[in-house]
Amino acid sequence: ALSYHENWQQAWHSPEPKKQYDAVIVGGGGHGLVTAYYLAKEHGLRNIAVIERGWLGGGNTGRNTTIVRSNYMWDQSAALYEHSLKLWENMTRELNFNVMFSQRSVLNLAHTLNEVRITKRRINSNRLNGIDSEWLEPEDVKREVPIIDLRGGGRYPVMGGSIQRRAGTARHDAVAWGYARACSEMGVDIIQQCAVEGFDIEGGQVTGVRTSKGHIKTNKVGLVVAGHCGVLANMAGFKLPVNSRPLQALVSEPVKPIVHNVVMAGAVHAYISQSDKGELVIGAGTDAYNGYSQWGSNPVTEDTLAAICELYPLFKRMRMLRQWGGVVDTCPDASPIIGLSPVKGMYLNCGWGTGGFKATPGSGHIFADTVANNRPHPIAAPFALDRFRTGFLIDEHAAAGVAH
Ligand SMILES: Cc1cc2nc3c(=O)[nH]c(=O)nc-3n(C[C@H](O)[C@H](O)[C@H](O)COP(=O)(O)OP(=O)(O)OC[C@H]3O[C@@H](n4cnc5c(N)ncnc54)[C@H](O)[C@@H]3O)c2cc1C
Ligand SMILES: CSCC(=O)[O-]
């Protein structure tokens, strides 16, 4: 019988790359692995490789604060994120792997009259799209989150907020492991510690991928590398309207259960939830400058912790355990890019910025359809790269819930 560790070692095979694949997905994060999963499961491709320069889930998929919700403003976003939320609700059964999806509800607080108006407008838009979303008066917020100081320390009073009760959190690296195991069972080659270093492009068509483990022939490439999408686009000879910058998070020492939902406060760049182990999981806004570092910086976390102490005074004596960052790729309208690239046979799934974890299953599902059929899935179509030429943007900065 295999030990637990040996069992894990064999959850997915890690072969050396073959000389040729029908499709190569660059990026072994959640979005890339789900794409490979549906290419195999729903589109009958069997000769697929996922190429990951580090380890599975080592990018933003394993670094995020795990919030899952679908309460975005515009119809196009509602279709995308609600498609994903429905897949989250069945993911553990689909993968036979416990991703610990916990629908504990997500609150988005409003601290100014402007945020009250924007939030109520978003709630009405959600309800028109069949998404569960409610307005809470300050006393309702207090009932949901008894430890909150509605005065917000006097600086940012709580004037109400939205709540989505089907929203919640999940175990992020379990998502990568669950899909990796399912991919491997369908014969997808998952190749870690293998960096893509360039592309062969002939007559505008991709024909191969150059990697640190050798050359691979293919005429179908999905770029799913989050904060490094601009780097890979440059390798392929085109530019993306994306800013890549660190987004940070931190966790406290574990304490008894005291926060039973997720509480986000965009105006003060602070949001919290509590992990099943009892740690406070705290998120901040992005750094103010572009960069590819994956570690924290004190000014950002100091601001966030000051806001946390104003909203939840009893946390003033909590000790922080760990702080880290990830490189998030944000588009000018805070919406993703899903679709064809300027290079034939090369497809883009990026620009998810501070909020792509919640879209992981839906993103991979519609991107696989786009890659397999060489045309955008209907839900992906509005998120084409071309929108930055036509000007038909899908601005979700307010719903993003995080300053960037
Ligand atoms: C601190 C933080 C908190 C966040 N909180 C939330 C949240 O609560 N809710 C939410 O919805 N979203 C959140 N996000 C955003 C979310 O994590 C991302 O949008 C999402 O996980 C992106 O998934 P992905 O699979 O596209 O990227 P990743 O998981 O980053 O995967 C991309 C992979 O590409 C690989 N790669 C890069 N270059 C190459 C190369 N040249 N060759 C091969 N491989 C390469 C990387 O190593 C990486 O593993 C947060 C992000 C951060 C950093
Ligand atoms: C990092 S912010 C979390 C979200 O987008 O709900």
Side-chain angles (χ1 to χ4, degrees), residues 31 72 74 76-81 84 223-224 226 229 240-243 328-340 348-360 362-364 366-367 379-388 392-397 399-400 404:
H31 289 228
Y72 281 67
W74 300 107
Q76 301 89 335
S77 313
L80 172 63
Y81 292 103
S84 214
L223 295 190
V224 198
C229 59
L240 290 175
V242 165
N243 276 318
V328 293
D329 47 331
T330 305
C331 287
D333 58 358
S335 286
I337 299 169
I338 317 170
L340 282 62
L348 301 169
N349 180 329
C350 60
W352 293 97
T354 61
F357 177 66
K358 62 177 76 70
T360 302
S363 154
I366 64 175
F367 189 53
I379 293 178
F383 298 96
L385 176 62
D386 197 41
R387 75 176 188 271
F388 298 103
F392 202 116
L393 303 187
I394 303 168
D395 192 328
E396 293 288 1
H397 279 285
H404 36 50

Side-chain angles (χ1 to χ4, degrees), residues 64-69 71-72 106 108 247 262 264 271 283-284 354-356 358 399-402:
N64 65 73
T65 44
T66 78
I67 300 168
V68 176
R69 58 190 172 94
N71 58 351
Y72 281 67
V106 173
N108 291 81
L247 175 66
V262 177
M264 301 179 70
Y271 55 94
T354 61
K358 62 177 76 70
V402 171

Side-chain angles (χ1 to χ4, degrees), residues 114-396:
N114 187 41
E115 279 198 314
V116 169
R117 289 175 176 144
I118 290 173
T119 304
K120 287 184 174 178
R121 185 173 173 225
R122 180 161 52 82
I123 290 168
N124 292 333
S125 174
N126 293 160
R127 298 169 80 101
L128 287 171
N129 280 306
I131 292 173
D132 61 308
S133 193
E134 302 161 44
W135 171 254
L136 299 181
E137 292 299 337
E139 58 275 15
D140 303 321
V141 172
K142 186 71 176 174
R143 193 177 318 112
E144 289 288 338
V145 192
I147 60 167
I148 198 166
D149 173 2
L150 292 177
R151 293 167 304 139
R155 188 166 62 119
Y156 284 99
V158 176
M159 298 174 71
S162 68
I163 185 168
Q164 183 178 14
R165 297 188 189 280
R166 286 173 49 239
T169 61
R171 168 79 195 261
H172 49 17
D173 34 24
V175 174
W177 298 337
Y179 277 104
R181 188 180 71 173
C183 279
S184 190
E185 284 166 0
M186 290 190 284
V188 173
D189 280 357
I190 295 177
I191 300 156
Q192 301 179 74
Q193 308 297 328
C194 178
V196 166
E197 297 166 343
F199 300 100
D200 295 339
I201 296 170
E202 294 160 28
Q205 163 73 46
V206 67
T207 58
V209 179
R210 297 197 293 278
T211 81
S212 54
K213 289 189 173 179
H215 182 269
I216 297 172
K217 282 178 73 61
T218 185
N219 58 16
K220 242 185 220 305
V221 176
L223 295 190
V224 198
V225 293
H228 289 81
C229 59
V231 175
L232 270 82
N234 280 341
M235 288 180 193
F238 61 93
K239 288 199 174 306
L240 290 175
V242 165
N243 276 318
S244 290
R245 53 183 62 170
L247 175 66
Q248 297 179 57
L250 56 163
V251 289
S252 73
E253 59 188 330
V255 294
K256 67 176 175 40
I258 191 164
V259 179
H260 309 297
N261 25 40
V262 177
V263 192
M264 301 179 70
V268 296
H269 315 319
Y271 55 94
I272 61 167
S273 62
Q274 189 169 15
S275 76
D276 294 330
K277 284 190 293 181
E279 304 135 320
L280 280 189
V281 181
I282 297 172
T286 62
D287 282 22
Y289 305 97
N290 287 359
Y292 290 92
S293 75
Q294 290 180 315
W295 49 82
S297 59
N298 289 337
V300 170
T301 40
E302 280 162 11
D303 278 354
T304 293
L305 290 174
I308 296 279
C309 293
E310 284 174 335
L311 282 173
Y312 317 98
L314 88 171
F315 289 150
K316 282 182 179 166
R317 292 172 49 218
M318 290 280 274
R319 280 182 289 263
M320 294 299 118
L321 273 190
R322 253 187 349 275
Q323 165 197 30
W324 67 92
V327 184
V328 293
D329 47 331
T330 305
C331 287
D333 58 358
S335 286
I337 299 169
I338 317 170
L340 282 62
S341 82
V343 175
K344 284 203 284 300
M346 185 176 281
Y347 307 88
L348 301 169
N349 180 329
C350 60
W352 293 97
T354 61
F357 177 66
K358 62 177 76 70
T360 302
S363 154
H365 185 239
I366 64 175
F367 189 53
D369 182 83
T370 301
V371 172
N373 295 300
N374 191 36
R375 56 98 185 95
H377 180 283
I379 293 178
F383 298 96
L385 176 62
D386 197 41
R387 75 176 188 271
F388 298 103
R389 185 186 60 77
T390 62
F392 202 116
L393 303 187
I394 303 168
D395 192 328
E396 293 288 1

